[in-house]
């Protein structure tokens, strides 16, 4: 943090009004406004923004003194789900489904609501004045978002591996081959994952395997349960032992982005009937 300064200090160094700088940062997609203040977006983090916790002033965002604010990549206009769909040749309803699957929006009786992680990729909550229905619009950088583009590719049935931007994931998949076939047709990497996958299937719980977290960083979760918007991580493998350091590093990513996580350890594999129902119930998921 020593080489980074607050937004207010940055504005002063550039002889700008602080309000003006906040507006410029939001226009460029570096920050977004949440219920409890300013939120650093993925784009802002790319350009060096980060959170700091101050004993007196609490949490706030700091920036490099030589911060580049790139406003050329945005029109300043927000996009609806329909407009995003036009960019990808998909119906707006399908875009909302993909955004929901990514955990960026949630559906309630009065419409769509942006989630905390949705705020970090440029989602803005809006209300229809006539009907009071809720909906979400997006900073136009959303059409370049790596995770959304990946979801569109996968949903459209294209070859996701051919469009992968990070070779490390491909290398990981080659090194740890998914060779165990579960009852629902998933190929998983370990016998422990096989037991979990079969347990979820037999209990009627919809799940995805080897799910990329909806963040810029390339991190795979063992399972994603869309009904409860929760991830499940198995801390075991047939090949190598996961160290405490590795486990804590992965858990830190979940905590940083406030992603709910269910953990299963090797010694619990034989007791899934006793372990998982209570954990799932916390997220509104009922096992048969």
């Amino acid at each position: 943090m020593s080489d980074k300064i607050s937004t207010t200090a940055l504005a002063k160094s550039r002889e700008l009004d602080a309000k003006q700088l906040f507006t410029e940062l939001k226009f460029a997609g570096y920050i977004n406004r949440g219920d409890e203040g300013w939120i650093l977006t993925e784009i802002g983090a790319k350009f060096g923004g980060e959170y700091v916790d101050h004993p007196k002033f609490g949490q706030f965002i700091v920036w490099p003194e030589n911060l580049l604010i790139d406003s050329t990549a945005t029109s300043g206009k927000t996009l609806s789900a329909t407009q995003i769909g036009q960019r990808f040749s998909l119906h707006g309803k399908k875009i909302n489904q993909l955004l929901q699957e990514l955990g960026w929006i949630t559906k309630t009786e009065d419409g769509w609501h942006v989630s905390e992680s949705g705020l970090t990729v440029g989602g803005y909550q809006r209300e229809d004045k006539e009907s009071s229905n809720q909906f979400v619009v997006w900073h136009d950088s959303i059409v370049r978002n790596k995770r959304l583009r990946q979801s569109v590719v996968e949903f459209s049935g294209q070859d996701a591996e051919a469009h992968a931007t990070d070779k490390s994931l491909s290398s990981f998949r080659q090194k740890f081959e998914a060779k165990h076939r579960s009852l629902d047709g998933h190929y998983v990497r370990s016998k422990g994952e096989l037991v979990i996958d079969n347990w979820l299937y037999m209990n009627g719980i919809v799940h995805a395997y080897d799910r990329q977290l909806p963040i810029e960083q390339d991190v795979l979760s063992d399972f994603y349960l869309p009904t409860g918007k929760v991830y499940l991580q198995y801390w075991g493998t047939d090949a190598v032992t996961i160290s405490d350091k590795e486990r804590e590093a992965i858990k830190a990513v979940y905590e940083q982005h406030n992603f709910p996580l269910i953990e299963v350890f090797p010694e619990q594999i034989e007791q899934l009937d006793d372990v998982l129902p209570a954990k799932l119930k916390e997220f509104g998921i009922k096992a048969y």
Side-chain angles (χ1 to χ4, degrees):
M1 185 222 152
S2 59
D3 59 338
K4 296 185 179 183
I5 57 178
S6 69
T7 309
T8 302
L10 182 62
K12 186 177 180 180
S13 70
R14 299 187 178 192
E15 299 182 348
L16 294 173
D17 178 73
K19 185 177 180 179
Q20 179 185 348
L21 182 57
F22 275 108
T23 299
E24 289 183 12
L25 290 170
K26 184 179 179 182
F27 180 89
Y30 290 19
I31 57 175
N32 198 353
R33 190 74 177 179
D35 292 337
E36 299 181 2
W38 290 107
I39 292 174
L40 179 68
T41 67
E42 290 186 354
I43 295 176
K46 278 185 179 180
F47 280 85
E50 62 181 84
Y51 289 110
V52 295
D53 291 300
H54 192 280
K56 181 178 180 181
F57 302 110
Q59 187 181 77
F60 58 93
I61 303 170
V62 294
W63 308 94
E65 292 188 54
N66 62 346
L67 174 68
L68 169 66
I69 303 177
D70 182 10
S71 299
T72 62
T74 177
S75 67
K77 298 179 180 179
T78 57
L79 300 176
S80 66
T82 298
Q83 290 170 321
I84 296 171
Q86 291 171 350
R87 303 288 185 95
F88 295 114
S89 300
L90 287 176
H91 193 280
K93 181 179 179 180
K94 296 299 181 185
I95 291 296
N96 273 333
Q97 289 176 335
L98 291 176
L99 294 170
Q100 181 183 40
E101 198 277 334
L102 286 164
W104 294 344
I105 56 175
T106 57
K107 185 71 177 290
T108 63
E109 291 183 359
D110 65 348
W112 293 103
H113 292 258
V114 66
S115 67
E116 187 170 348
S117 57
L119 290 170
T120 67
V121 292
Y124 306 122
Q125 191 67 48
R126 295 288 186 267
E127 179 180 277
D128 185 287
K129 294 181 179 179
E130 294 184 4
S131 65
S132 296
N133 286 338
Q134 300 293 313
F135 63 99
V136 181
V137 295
W138 303 87
H139 189 274
D140 60 5
S141 59
I142 193 70
V143 297
R144 301 188 300 277
N145 183 278
K146 182 165 68 173
R147 294 302 158 224
L148 176 59
R149 295 178 70 88
Q150 178 183 355
S151 290
V152 169
V153 166
E154 293 171 349
F155 175 79
S156 302
Q158 302 174 47
D159 183 4
E161 286 296 327
H163 292 77
T165 56
D166 193 314
K167 302 306 182 201
S168 63
L169 291 186
S170 297
S171 299
F172 171 82
R173 288 176 170 136
Q174 290 174 3
K175 184 177 181 181
F176 301 102
E177 182 184 359
K179 57 185 178 181
H180 302 283
R181 190 177 191 275
S182 64
L183 289 172
D184 62 359
H186 285 146
Y187 280 88
V188 299
R189 293 189 175 80
S190 69
K191 294 178 181 178
E193 290 176 342
L194 178 68
V195 174
I196 294 172
D197 197 297
N198 286 339
W199 190 95
L200 293 171
Y201 175 67
M202 294 299 290
N203 280 274
I205 298 171
V206 177
H207 57 282
Y209 175 71
D210 221 10
R211 189 70 175 94
Q212 166 68 52
L213 294 185
I215 57 177
E216 185 71 19
Q217 187 178 354
D218 289 289
V219 180
L220 295 175
S221 180
D222 292 336
F223 298 94
Y224 174 58
L225 315 182
T227 303
K229 300 292 187 296
V230 60
Y231 296 90
L232 188 155
Q233 194 76 29
Y234 172 58
W235 300 118
T237 168
D238 293 346
V240 296
T241 302
I242 299 176
S243 68
D244 291 341
K245 185 177 181 180
E246 290 174 314
R247 183 168 66 247
E248 291 306 314
I250 295 173
K251 285 180 62 177
V253 175
Y254 284 93
E255 293 170 1
Q256 177 187 353
H257 296 278
N258 295 308
F259 292 145
L261 176 66
I262 292 174
E263 300 177 80
V264 177
F265 296 87
E267 60 269 21
Q268 297 175 317
I269 285 296
E270 300 301 324
Q271 290 87 38
L272 292 184
D273 285 332
D274 299 321
V275 173
L276 281 183
K279 291 179 179 288
L280 294 171
K281 188 176 181 181
E282 294 179 25
F283 302 95
I285 303 176
K286 184 178 180 180
Y288 289 153

